[in-house]
Each structure stands twice: as structure tokens, then as C-alpha cells.
Amino acid sequence: MEFFEKLFDIIMTKQIFGTAVVILVTFLVISIFNKGIEKIMVKGKTAFEVKRRKTIIKLFQSIFKYVLVIIAMLVILDFYGVDTRSLIASLGVLGVVLGLALQDTVKDFISGIMLIMENYLAVGDTVTYNDFTGEVLELGLRTTKIKGFDGEVMIIANRNIDTIINASQKKADLYLDIPTAYEEDIDKVEKVLTEVVNKALEDKIALPDSSYLGVNGFESSQVNYLIHVICKQDDRYKVKREILKRVKVAYDKNHIKIPYEQVEVHHGKDI
């Protein structure tokens, strides 16, 4: 019985019990703050505004987490008798030393804040960095993560992002060549393709000013008819697949042939 009393007394000391309470409260406050700020800020009038707000939310969450962890560490050190006031006072000198030693990290922080606040990038944007194209997966204070369309993730230090192409801040122009057999009536083909584009506009698959442009070339076994489709940059691959599907369905319905390679085989005795 005496053993358990001593154990209880040890556990209830501020060094152990206080530390546990501080850690628990810190995690709870961070969790509540993260969920609360998402509910407050995540709504927006447009998809672009929602993406931008999500990016700013991640920045606030990151800063809040670092600040709260530092405060928790100072409180815990005070439990163990460390003079935190002197420690805080010495942080000024230490900050200068660390600033010199960690110049690249400081540059990353500043660049990360500028990228977000100047609206260069947002989570979900489609960007091209050097020859790598993908979606912004995470925009943090130190690094930016871009996920390629094949699943690869590129991690870039923010200080190195000097030139980047953000394709999500403009509309996408899709120029689709539709191969069609030579024997098909040109007026019929043009009417069907015009109807496909108009239906895509009506269904809001394509944006205004999308149109059928006309004959775009002659090849050995096909005539190419050109469609111009305008859509949101983030939807360009989905829209391309949907338009091609609609063209195939319309061609089948109207008995219009899409050419494909054929091989003629001759028996030797017949030659």
C-alpha cells in the first residue's frame, strides 16, 4: 500500500503530471484550432477561392502548431526548474546565431509566405516546374510538394522556386483532331461535330467560345476535323475524355466511320 502511495505521489508531481497535462492540452488545442479554422475559412464563392483559402489555412495551422509547441516546451522546462525567463532573453542572441547558420531555412520560410500571400500558388493548382508537371499537393513554410500525373511527388525547397508556370489560373484550350473516313459526307460530319460541341456547351462540359473549326488536314486514310474546346485548366483531361466519348457515340449513332489500319493478305497462288 505504501508503495502505491509513493508511486501516486511521484506521478502527481508537476514534473510528470504537469508535463503530461501540458502535452495533452497542446495536442487538443492544436486539433481544435485546425478543425475550427477549416470550418470557418474553407468556404468560398469560387473553386479558385476555396483552393486559396485551403492554402492559407495550412499556413496558419503550421504557424500555430510551431508557436504552441514552443510555448509548451518552455512551460515543461519551467516545471524542471529551468529559468525560462533567462532562456527567452538569450533567444535574441541565439536567434542571430541561428539566423546566420540557417539562412537557407529562413529563405524557405520567407519564400513560402510570399508564394501564398502573393497568390502565386494554391493547393490543387496544376503547375510546371522545369520539366515536371503536376498538382500542388502541399504548400508549406519550407517546401512545396508537387504530385505528377504518374504518381511521383517532387519536393522543392521554397527558396529554389524562382520560375514556375501555374496553369490553373487560366482556361485550357483543347484542340482535338477527329479522324474520319474519306468516304463520309463532309456536310454530315460537320453537322454531327457541331451538335456534339453545342451539346457540351449546353451541359456545361465546355465553356463559351468552344466550337467546331473545320477540316484540319488529310492523311493517307483519314480526314481530320478540328474541334476547339475551352474548359477549366484542372478539368482538361476529364473534358478531353468526355468530348472524345461523345464524338464516338455520335459517330456510331449516325453511322460515320472512324478509320483504322487494315492489312490485306494475299495467298501466293493468287498473285
Side-chain angles (χ1 to χ4, degrees):
M1 189 68 178
E2 185 179 349
F3 169 77
F4 289 108
E5 288 180 356
K6 288 182 178 179
L7 180 63
F8 180 75
D9 290 339
I10 292 172
I11 292 173
M12 292 305 293
T13 58
K14 65 179 181 180
Q15 286 87 353
I16 296 178
F17 182 74
T19 299
V21 170
V22 169
I23 292 173
L24 178 61
V25 169
T26 300
F27 279 108
L28 283 175
V29 172
I30 290 173
S31 178
I32 292 170
F33 176 82
N34 288 345
K35 291 179 180 179
I37 196 172
E38 285 178 0
K39 287 183 179 180
I40 294 170
M41 292 187 61
V42 77
K43 295 179 181 178
K45 294 181 180 179
T46 64
F48 177 75
E49 186 177 342
V50 170
K51 287 196 300 182
R52 188 170 186 272
R53 288 192 175 202
K54 285 182 178 180
T55 305
I56 295 173
I57 286 170
K58 287 185 178 293
L59 174 63
F60 285 163
Q61 288 174 339
S62 181
I63 293 173
F64 184 78
K65 180 179 71 174
Y66 287 132
V67 170
L68 210 60
V69 168
I70 291 171
I71 293 173
M73 289 174 62
L74 290 173
V75 173
I76 292 171
L77 288 174
D78 185 65
F79 289 160
Y80 287 88
V82 177
D83 187 357
T84 53
R85 292 181 180 179
S86 300
L87 182 62
I88 293 172
S90 64
L91 284 177
V93 178
L94 182 62
V96 175
V97 176
L98 288 175
L100 295 172
L102 303 174
Q103 291 184 52
D104 288 342
T105 301
V106 173
K107 289 178 182 178
D108 287 336
F109 284 174
I110 295 173
S111 298
I113 292 172
M114 292 299 294
L115 286 170
I116 295 170
M117 302 311 295
E118 293 294 330
N119 204 27
Y120 293 139
L121 301 176
V123 173
D125 282 353
T126 299
V127 299
T128 299
Y129 178 73
N130 292 338
D131 294 327
F132 189 86
T133 300
E135 179 183 326
V136 176
L137 194 63
E138 182 180 319
L139 184 52
L141 288 176
R142 292 192 62 251
T143 61
T144 295
K145 295 180 181 178
I146 303 173
K147 184 177 181 181
F149 300 117
D150 56 358
E152 292 182 343
V153 176
M154 174 181 279
I155 302 174
I156 314 166
N158 289 335
R159 67 181 182 277
N160 293 328
I161 301 179
D162 51 357
T163 302
I164 193 166
I165 299 171
N166 189 339
S168 291
Q169 295 187 9
K170 67 181 184 67
K171 296 175 183 177
D173 289 285
L174 303 179
Y175 291 91
L176 305 177
D177 268 324
I178 309 300
T180 307
Y182 270 100
E183 59 266 28
E184 301 297 343
D185 180 72
I186 188 170
D187 292 329
K188 179 181 178 182
V189 173
E190 290 189 325
K191 180 182 177 183
V192 169
L193 291 178
T194 300
E195 289 174 353
V196 168
V197 175
N198 290 340
K199 190 65 169 65
L201 286 167
E202 182 183 327
D203 295 340
K204 297 184 179 179
I205 300 297
L207 296 177
D209 295 328
S210 299
S211 62
Y212 163 72
L213 296 182
V215 176
N216 195 46
F218 302 99
E219 297 187 20
S220 58
S221 61
Q222 66 191 43
V223 179
N224 290 327
Y225 294 84
L226 187 63
I227 288 177
H228 176 212
V229 178
I230 303 172
C231 63
K232 294 179 181 178
Q233 189 68 232
D234 294 344
D235 295 337
R236 63 192 184 283
Y237 297 109
K238 179 176 69 176
V239 170
K240 178 182 178 181
R241 291 191 295 269
E242 178 63 23
I243 294 296
L244 292 177
K245 174 186 174 182
R246 291 180 177 219
V247 169
K248 179 64 168 62
V249 171
Y251 269 30
D252 290 345
K253 182 179 178 180
N254 291 275
H255 307 290
I256 298 175
K257 294 180 182 178
I258 297 176
Y260 55 90
E261 290 188 3
Q262 300 184 51
V263 178
E264 266 189 53
V265 179
H266 299 274
H267 295 288
K269 61 181 181 180
D270 298 329
I271 298 177

